[in-house]
Amino acid sequence: MLHDRILLDPGEEAGERKSSAGIVIPATASMGKRLVWGKVVAAGPHVRQTNLGDTVLYDPEELAEVELEGQAYVLLRERDVHAVSEPAEQSRSGMYL
């Protein structure tokens, strides 16, 4: 990767999805601007805010799709990332003693 570019694994959220009621919503359905999550698999040397393995929020309309070894990836600039999720906490019992 060069400069401030990030390579993301878009996961399954970028395609079809289900509503909370179980209705399948196709990827072609127009619902306004919807952001999706992806996992960082590679980053250029000038990327400062994200690390490998981070999950980031991006706009699927502002991207370049790349296929490497049969796997589809998303290529974006670091400035096109809207948010970085926090890592999940260790499992806790929820009991305070």
Side-chain angles (χ1 to χ4, degrees):
M1 301 305 303
L2 298 175
H3 307 291
D4 66 339
R5 302 300 198 272
I6 299 173
L7 189 68
L8 301 175
D9 181 7
E12 298 173 15
E13 190 175 341
E16 271 186 2
R17 58 189 189 276
K18 284 188 178 183
S19 70
S20 59
I23 299 171
V24 176
I25 302 169
T28 57
S30 169
M31 294 180 53
K33 194 167 193 172
R34 181 176 175 88
L35 303 176
V36 294
W37 293 96
K39 189 172 203 163
V40 177
V41 294
H46 298 290
V47 174
R48 296 176 295 198
Q49 302 295 319
T50 61
N51 297 312
L52 295 180
D54 282 351
T55 303
V56 297
L57 188 66
Y58 67 96
D59 184 356
E61 295 176 7
E62 300 173 5
L63 57 83
E65 293 182 357
V66 178
E67 187 172 322
L68 300 171
E69 298 179 4
Q71 174 72 30
Y73 294 100
V74 172
L75 181 66
L76 359 135
R77 292 178 181 259
E78 183 180 26
R79 69 179 181 205
D80 294 331
V81 172
H82 295 277
V84 178
S85 71
E86 292 184 4
E89 291 185 23
Q90 300 273 336
S91 60
R92 297 183 181 179
S93 65
M95 298 179 66
Y96 299 99
L97 301 175

